[in-house]
Amino acid sequence: MSNLMNTYMQLPVTFANGEGVWLWDEAGKRYLDALAGVAVCGLGHCHPKLVKAICKQAGTLIHTSNLYHIGRQEQLAGKLAVLSGMDNAFFCNSGAEANEAAIKLARLYGHGRNIDLPTIIVMEKSFHGRTMATLTASGNRKVQAGFEPLLTGFARVPYNDLEAVAQVGIHNKNVVAILVEPYQGEGGVNVPQASYLQGLRHLCDQNGWLLMLDEVQCGIGRSGKWFAFQHSGIVPDVITLAKGLGSGVAIGACLAKGMAADVFKPGNHASTFGGNPLACTAALTTLEVIEEDDLLRNSMELGDFMRSMFKAQLAGLPDVRQIRGQGLMIGIELSKPCGDLVKEALKRGLLINVTSDNVVRLLPPLVMQRNEAEQVVNILSAIVKEFLMV
Ligand SMILES: Cc1ncc(COP(=O)(O)O)c(C=O)c1O
């Protein structure tokens, strides 16, 4: 009997320690991690450089307050600005909070333009978090049901449908922004048409809307570039980050550019823990290691390698609908619900996830090597084949 609130359907395992792409449970059984704490542990587990940096920072200064200047935070904002092309950053502690900041920023931007009921266009099958605003923004009834009344100020359209967005713009003069995942994660590892973000950028430019990209899952190297939008050649107005940014030390960020970067004024938004020296050190070290170890290239190449290996091993199976993704964000869509695969993989020492009922999702650490990736594909392909035979 546990004293935890009943919010998670937990798998029957407790991990005791980890190293690289491997985890060990309390009985000493070893697991190959193809999920990385759901896109968090890009550097794998307990990367020595990260461990050293956070231990050193913990012994120097952990937290002061945003009432004072924080050197590590300013350094991190500068680094993220260089990598993303944004102008400035607000730091918080999670993806939901980063999106909450973006939603508030968009509303304030709207009020600044004399729009009293600002509306944000959001997508079907999207996921933006579990706070009231972010679950309202999410395109999934399961995360909303029971929490009504939801917020107003959102207009929902199908993902990957530019015409639907244009239509909202024609009929609703209160639109101030679009909030969208460049690649949808929880919604089933959905990859839109190549020109989708360009089309959204064009609509935003025409209408004076902010283009706000939720890169909480697909950012920080996961797609094979620092940020997923960098595959499309456009520049957004707002980017939200969390997950992979701190390698497991909680940190989120809302980055902004141009007009969007000047919206917040003192008193508009805040976070007690946001951007403390410890979290910022974890993030700075994460970015450093990604650069030094050429992990963007690894993410791009290994992702392509794994998708082509899966395509070869699962070829000809009519119940395998599609193998898709970008970089180390990999989805295998089956024609039937396949949640049971997670337990079967766990038994065989492999950590995977199933999302949207019928999509096997892999989010391996960016440090994964080819031979480890081969093991993931071999174990998982065998399990999928057995599952589809019965
Ligand atoms: C795209 C996206 N946005 C936001 C979130 C929410 O992040 P957090 O759980 O850190 O609040 C997630 C989490 O899965 C996500 O995938």
Side-chain angles (χ1 to χ4, degrees):
M1 189 42 193
S2 149
N3 295 109
L4 297 170
M5 278 199 195
N6 191 21
T7 52
Y8 296 100
M9 293 265 283
Q10 292 182 322
L11 290 156
V13 63
T14 307
F15 296 113
N17 57 300
E19 189 183 325
V21 298
W22 299 97
L23 283 166
W24 285 263
D25 70 14
E26 289 177 322
K29 180 178 166 184
R30 191 172 81 144
Y31 299 80
L32 181 50
D33 186 0
L35 194 59
V38 196
V40 168
C41 307
L43 308 187
H45 298 282
C46 302
H47 190 288
K49 190 159 176 185
L50 178 74
V51 172
K52 194 170 164 203
I54 55 184
C55 286
K56 183 164 177 237
Q57 187 61 48
T60 308
L61 190 64
I62 296 175
H63 177 86
T64 50
S65 160
N66 284 302
L67 294 174
Y68 313 104
H69 289 278
I70 299 172
R72 301 295 273 161
Q73 192 184 107
E74 283 167 26
Q75 251 179 294
L76 179 60
K79 182 73 190 172
L80 287 170
V82 169
L83 298 178
S84 67
M86 298 293 105
D87 292 331
N88 57 20
F90 171 83
F91 291 107
C92 50
N93 315 285
S94 67
E97 282 177 76
N99 286 325
E100 193 76 34
I103 291 165
K104 285 180 68 176
L105 188 154
R107 286 187 168 197
L108 208 52
Y109 167 79
H111 286 291
R113 305 174 79 212
N114 297 318
I115 296 175
D116 292 336
L117 298 170
T119 295
I120 300 172
I121 297 180
V122 291
M123 307 302 155
E124 288 174 8
K125 294 191 181 171
S126 61
F127 183 74
H128 299 295
R130 300 283 192 157
T131 61
M132 281 311 304
T134 58
L135 74 82
T136 302
S138 297
N140 180 347
R141 271 306 291 161
K142 278 191 196 160
V143 308
Q144 296 173 340
F147 299 109
E148 296 80 3
L150 303 181
L151 272 62
T152 54
F154 294 95
R156 192 172 311 286
V157 297
Y159 188 61
N160 198 18
D161 184 343
L162 290 170
E163 184 49 33
V165 176
Q167 283 301 319
V168 174
I170 291 166
H171 299 293
N172 187 338
K173 294 300 161 206
N174 290 327
V175 174
V176 293
I178 299 173
L179 175 62
V180 60
E181 293 156 90
Y183 303 111
Q184 286 186 332
E186 308 299 305
V189 191
N190 299 318
V191 178
Q193 55 181 299
S195 59
Y196 184 52
L197 289 188
Q198 288 164 9
L200 293 179
R201 177 73 271 175
H202 181 66
L203 286 167
C204 286
D205 290 342
Q206 271 184 328
N207 293 289
W209 305 337
L210 300 178
L211 180 58
M212 310 202 296
L213 301 184
D214 180 343
E215 296 242 6
V216 167
Q217 187 160 150
C218 60
I220 313 295
R222 179 132 310 268
S223 76
K225 293 195 184 279
W226 281 111
F227 304 100
F229 75 84
Q230 291 167 334
H231 291 277
S232 70
I234 59 110
V235 180
D237 302 295
V238 173
I239 303 170
T240 57
L241 300 171
K243 288 192 180 280
L245 180 57
S247 296
V249 180
I251 183 165
C254 175
L255 313 182
K257 181 177 174 63
M259 292 177 300
D262 292 328
V263 171
F264 281 142
K265 300 284 183 283
N268 286 146
H269 200 46
S271 163
T272 293
F273 297 121
N276 73 36
L278 186 70
C280 289
T281 296
L284 279 163
T285 311
T286 300
L287 301 177
E288 240 172 73
V289 174
I290 290 175
E291 248 164 7
E292 283 168 8
D293 294 359
D294 211 3
L295 296 183
L296 299 183
R297 190 167 58 83
N298 193 53
S299 172
M300 185 95 91
E301 291 179 1
L302 201 69
D304 287 343
F305 170 72
M306 290 176 80
R307 271 182 296 277
S308 60
M309 237 187 121
F310 274 123
K311 281 180 186 161
Q313 295 210 11
L314 301 175
L317 292 172
D319 286 323
V320 177
R321 279 201 192 142
Q322 199 183 25
I323 294 161
R324 58 180 179 247
Q326 179 71 49
L328 284 173
M329 203 169 167
I330 299 170
I332 304 171
E333 183 180 336
L334 305 185
S335 62
K336 57 177 180 178
C338 58
D340 290 349
L341 289 174
V342 174
K343 271 191 195 152
E344 192 49 44
L346 187 74
K347 275 190 211 153
R348 299 190 205 186
L350 174 67
L351 305 184
I352 63 164
N353 174 254
V354 166
T355 190
S356 269
D357 291 338
N358 64 334
V359 181
V360 181
R361 178 175 51 159
L362 304 182
L363 300 161
L366 309 185
V367 294
M368 187 171 272
Q369 300 293 303
R370 220 162 231 255
N371 63 327
E372 295 154 346
E374 278 168 358
Q375 291 180 57
V376 173
V377 178
N378 290 335
I379 299 169
L380 182 55
S381 297
I383 296 171
V384 168
K385 280 185 201 161
E386 283 167 32
F387 174 75
L388 293 177
M389 297 304 181
V390 289

